[in-house]
């Protein structure tokens, strides 16, 4: 299955990555760092965007471009501070513009450890993106919530595994 992941990334014109709250759950910082470094290596040279509710700070430390990462949820800030955060809103605007350019392109949508704590942030929107873009595929990796909706009609791959452990192993 690890080879399938790297092949799907290579084949894609664009890659949308969702890193959920379960990605970093019960992991050491070293494990998360290794997983993020491997993901960074796989995405090198690709046109990508990352939405994260989990490992946002680590992503910038391992070489991902900060302008290609958006963190819709930042629990350490109050709602009022978040509204005035122009950097966040610029990143969100950049993401939505990037997303508009993915229609009718070979898009790989990857979910890594996306649970059901915030399903309206990554999980449901990603399913909708794949549903409407007939050239898109969803790759969902989660140890418990790996199932795909029937509406995607074979345009997805589900892997029952801990994504951080899978990527940190270096076997991908």
């Amino acid at each position: 299955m690890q080879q399938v992941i790297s092949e799907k990334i290579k084949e894609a014109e664009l890659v949308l990555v969702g890193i959920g709250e379960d990605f970093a759950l019960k992991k050491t910082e070293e494990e998360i760092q290794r997983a993020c470094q491997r993901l960074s290596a796989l995405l090198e040279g690709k046109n990508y965007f990352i939405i994260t509710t989990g490992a946002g700070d680590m992503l910038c430390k391992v070489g991902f471009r900060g302008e290609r990462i958006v963190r819709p949820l930042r629990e350490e800030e109050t709602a009022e501070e978040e509204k005035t955060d122009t950097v966040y809103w610029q990143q969100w605007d950049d993401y939505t513009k990037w997303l508009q350019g993915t229609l009718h392109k070979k898009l790989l949508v990857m979910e890594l450890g996306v649970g059901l704590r915030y399903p309206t942030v990554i999980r449901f929107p990603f399913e909708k993106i794949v549903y409407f873009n007939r050239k898109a595929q969803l790759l969902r990796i989660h140890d418990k919530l790996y199932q795909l909706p029937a509406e995607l009609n074979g345009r997805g791959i589900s892997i029952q595994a801990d994504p951080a452990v899978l990527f940190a192993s270096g076997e991908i």
Side-chain angles (χ1 to χ4, degrees), residues 65-164:
R65 299 186 316 244
E67 71 274 5
R68 290 302 182 125
I69 301 169
V70 66
R71 292 177 10 188
L73 302 173
R74 294 173 312 223
E75 294 177 5
E76 68 274 7
E77 295 180 347
T78 66
E80 190 58 38
E81 288 172 322
E82 194 169 310
K83 288 178 187 173
T84 60
D85 185 353
T86 56
V87 172
Y88 164 75
W89 288 111
Q90 181 60 53
Q91 287 174 313
W92 187 258
D93 188 48
D94 291 346
Y95 164 65
T96 57
K97 287 177 185 170
W98 180 88
L99 195 56
Q100 290 170 6
T102 65
L103 196 59
H104 306 300
K105 300 247 168 96
K106 200 165 186 180
L107 172 67
L108 177 62
V109 179
M110 295 174 56
E111 282 185 12
L112 308 176
V114 177
L116 292 174
R117 187 170 179 195
Y118 308 107
T120 58
V121 176
I122 297 174
R123 186 173 275 266
F124 296 162
F126 278 24
E127 290 176 359
K128 193 173 188 176
I129 290 165
V130 174
Y131 179 79
F132 285 110
N133 181 347
R134 294 307 205 189
K135 292 185 175 183
Q137 283 201 321
L138 176 63
L139 174 61
R140 180 172 282 162
I141 306 172
H142 197 283
D143 59 343
K144 294 180 183 78
L145 301 169
Y146 57 91
Q147 301 82 358
L148 297 172
E151 295 81 19
L152 296 184
N153 295 327
R155 291 187 296 126
I157 298 171
S158 62
I159 299 174
Q160 184 179 10
D162 184 310

